Amino acid sequence: MIRKEIYNLQIVRGLAALCVVLEHLSPRAVAHFFSAGQVGVSMFFFLSGYIMMHTFREDQSAGAFIKNRIKRIYPAYLILSLPLILYTLHKTGSLTYLLHNLFLIPWTEWDREALPYNWSESMANPAAWTLVYEFYFYLLLCVGKTLLNKKAFVFSFTTVTMLAILVATNMTWGNDGYLGWHGVTFKSVAGNLALLSFIAGMCGRQLGFHHVKKNSAVFLLIPVAMLLLWLMARQGITNLQIRDLLGSCLPSWTFVLLMANMADFKGFAFDKLHAIGMYSYSLYLFHANFYTAKWIVFNNLARVGLDSALIKVAVLLLFIGLSLFISKHLYHLIERGGAWKMLRGRSVRAG
């Protein structure tokens, strides 16, 4: 059962990464109509909660846990985001902005309209806001492991603490209604409803919701349920977090839970998604370079009168293809340590 869950969850990872990439690198009209990126983020957050419970080790200390999480996330983030960090350093000229992005530190306040540091985005890499949420989740897990390194306790502590802080933040400062990328501040992270995806993922694994009947016919109802919830979220709800909860989170949680319990999906398309799932983190981070480049290219094309829809689609297809191709190789070089192995090999031969 464990092997099947992991195999299918890699497919989910690949699908989630593609959702984010396609929204970021699609024409604005398409991206605005169907927020596939938020669906992808909901899947990633749910997967994080689910997998943290699935792989929980009581013989691993809190220090070892957080060290492994930092090693897994931070070096790749820093290397793959470096072009964007340097670009925004050039545009903002701010050491403060640089330090916030180097160390993934939330802001105390961020007003996009006021253009602080002459820049609207609170993160140099526009996809990296989710990493701040991930580390917040890992921090709570780490505190729980420090208090009592038992799976049931850490699950209960993390769930109750995250919910308590979420409620307290919303009661104290209110809910701004914005999605997580709008501005990464301490208040917006602690009070964002997107955190419920982490909790749902933990509950999905810990409380036994993964014991859904295999190959259940309910699986066939997922597209219909997702469409209905998405339509509900589009109608009459101005709070974007609630719309996201209805239209992205709930369908994503159900989809991932069912995928975790289904028999292995085989075939050309699923094998490709599984392969993308393997390098989904590199793809998720690296494609943001093309997302930023997209606006620079489009502005320059507009200046010379080459901003037709056909040219834009061609540019975006090129960027999507390059994102997939380059990210696959960066995964082997950075996440799998291929670059370090080559360097060590050369050092040995030189010695």
Side-chain angles (χ1 to χ4, degrees), residues 41 98 164 227 269 349:
V41 168
L98 173 67
L227 177 61
R349 287 194 296 272

Side-chain angles (χ1 to χ4, degrees), residues 136 140 160-171 173 190-191 195:
Y136 173 58
L140 293 181
V160 172
T161 304
M162 184 175 282
L163 279 174
I165 295 174
L166 177 66
V167 171
T169 302
N170 280 274
M171 290 182 66
W173 291 285
L195 295 174

Side-chain angles (χ1 to χ4, degrees), residues 56-239:
F56 189 92
R57 289 172 47 194
E58 294 184 352
D59 62 339
Q60 182 186 53
S61 68
F65 166 78
I66 200 67
K67 179 181 177 181
N68 286 344
R69 290 290 86 201
I70 292 172
K71 285 177 61 178
R72 169 72 180 90
I73 291 176
Y74 186 71
Y77 159 73
L78 193 59
I79 296 170
L80 296 174
S81 302
L82 191 59
L84 290 171
I85 292 174
L86 294 176
Y87 174 72
T88 52
L89 175 62
H90 168 70
K91 298 294 287 186
T92 63
S94 169
L95 180 60
T96 301
Y97 190 88
L98 173 67
L99 292 175
H100 272 271
N101 280 275
L102 282 178
F103 299 107
L104 293 170
I105 303 171
W107 300 84
T108 53
E109 297 290 341
W110 188 266
D111 184 357
R112 291 171 61 91
E113 284 67 34
L115 292 178
Y117 307 102
N118 298 313
W119 197 252
S120 62
E121 302 292 339
S122 58
M123 303 296 295
N125 184 325
W129 66 270
T130 59
L131 301 186
V132 179
Y133 283 69
E134 293 276 357
F135 273 119
Y136 173 58
F137 171 53
Y138 298 148
L139 178 62
L140 293 181
L141 284 171
C142 186
V143 173
K145 286 176 73 71
T146 302
L147 295 174
L148 180 63
N149 201 359
K150 297 293 182 181
K151 185 176 181 180
F153 174 81
V154 174
F155 162 73
S156 301
F157 172 84
T158 305
T159 301
V160 172
T161 304
M162 184 175 282
L163 279 174
I165 295 174
L166 177 66
V167 171
T169 302
N170 280 274
M171 290 182 66
T172 305
W173 291 285
N175 186 290
D176 60 18
Y178 292 117
L179 299 176
W181 54 264
H182 188 267
V184 182
T185 66
F186 287 103
K187 287 187 294 185
S188 67
V189 173
N192 198 291
L193 299 182
L195 295 174
L196 296 175
S197 289
F198 293 110
I199 295 172
M202 288 191 295
C203 291
R205 180 61 195 174
Q206 185 66 7
L207 300 182
F209 296 151
H210 58 288
H211 294 304
V212 182
K213 185 179 179 181
K214 288 186 180 180
N215 298 317
S216 171
V218 176
F219 186 78
L220 300 176
L221 299 177
I222 289 295
V224 177
M226 291 180 70
L227 177 61
L228 290 175
L229 286 169
W230 178 74
L231 290 173
M232 289 169 57
R234 301 285 294 185
Q235 300 298 321
I237 300 176
T238 57
N239 186 306

